[in-house]
Each structure stands twice: as C-alpha cells, then as structure tokens.
Amino acid sequence: MTTVYILDGTRIRTTDDFWRAIGEAVNGPGGYFGRNPDAFADCLGGGFGTPDDDFTVEWRDHQVSREHLGHAETVRQSELLLARCHPSNRPAVAAELAEARAGRGPTVFDRLVAIFEQRVPGALRLL
C-alpha cells in the first residue's frame, strides 16, 4: 500500500518552512526530514522516516510555494551559503547568486523538485 504524505503549499513561503513542513508530514510535529539539500536527499533515500516501500508526496497548492521559493528566496539562500561556504566554493556560489539576482537559473523550488525526481522518481505529485 502506498503511503501518502501531504504538503500544504500555502504554508511554505521560505526554505525553512519547507524543511518544517516535510519533516512534520513524514515524522509528525517537530519531525526532522533534512534541513539542507544534501540531508533532504539522504532522507528521501529511506531509513529516516520514509517507508521502505512505496510512498508519494502530494504538494498541494504548489504554485503558492513555487512563487515564494522563487528567485527572491534563492537569492536569500545563496547569500547565506556564500557567507559560510568554503573559499574554494565562493566563485561558484557567487555566480549562482548573480544569476538568481538577475531572475535566471533554477530556484529553490526547482532544486527541491529536482531532488525528489533524482532520489524517488515519480513520488512527487504537484497539485
């Protein structure tokens, strides 16, 4: 039987909102399910609250999240990353930041969807 986890897109306005929403959807109030892209990808791989068998994530009202997790949130996240990343990574992060400031390139929303598709193809339903 397929387990279905629900994300309410009207409540996801920042990246931190997404981490909270996915954690609570999968593991209940206060639940953890990654708080950065790498940890999130690991959690999707199983063993961190997801069932070992079939599951689906329904991201309802995803268009609201898509708007809020767009280029402005991508700029904010890139600025935070630039401030703490290793010096050897700064040129790449700065380039991504410049693209986001120009309204180009993948957004936070795009990256989250890509992680779903890479780790559990077909498990995400955008509603």
Side-chain angles (χ1 to χ4, degrees), residues 54-84:
D54 195 26
F55 72 93
T56 298
V57 175
E58 289 185 0
W59 194 335
R60 297 178 180 172
D61 295 309
H62 77 278
Q63 290 291 11
V64 175
S65 299
R66 182 188 298 269
E67 181 180 326
H68 288 288
L69 300 178
H71 286 105
E73 178 67 3
T74 306
V75 166
R76 189 176 79 82
Q77 291 299 312
S78 295
E79 289 172 341
L80 292 170
L81 182 57
L82 186 61
R84 68 177 191 273

Side-chain angles (χ1 to χ4, degrees), residues 1-79:
M1 180 171 188
T2 301
T3 302
V4 179
Y5 301 110
I6 307 297
L7 296 179
D8 178 355
T10 64
R11 300 185 61 179
I12 300 173
R13 298 177 178 269
T14 67
T15 306
D16 290 335
D17 290 343
F18 175 81
W19 302 137
R20 185 174 29 263
I22 191 71
E24 291 183 354
V26 174
N27 292 312
Y32 174 83
F33 201 71
R35 297 237 189 280
N36 65 65
D38 291 332
F40 174 56
D42 289 344
C43 288
L44 282 173
F48 297 93
T50 56
D52 291 331
D53 55 357
D54 195 26
F55 72 93
T56 298
V57 175
E58 289 185 0
W59 194 335
R60 297 178 180 172
D61 295 309
H62 77 278
Q63 290 291 11
V64 175
S65 299
R66 182 188 298 269
E67 181 180 326
H68 288 288
L69 300 178
H71 286 105
E73 178 67 3
T74 306
V75 166
R76 189 176 79 82
Q77 291 299 312
S78 295
E79 289 172 341

Side-chain angles (χ1 to χ4, degrees), residues 71 74-75 77-79 81-83 85-107 111:
H71 286 105
T74 306
V75 166
Q77 291 299 312
S78 295
E79 289 172 341
L81 182 57
L82 186 61
C85 72
H86 189 274
S88 65
N89 292 334
R90 287 193 181 124
V93 174
E96 290 177 8
L97 175 58
E99 285 293 294
R101 284 182 173 151
R104 296 188 302 260
T107 64
R111 290 178 179 149

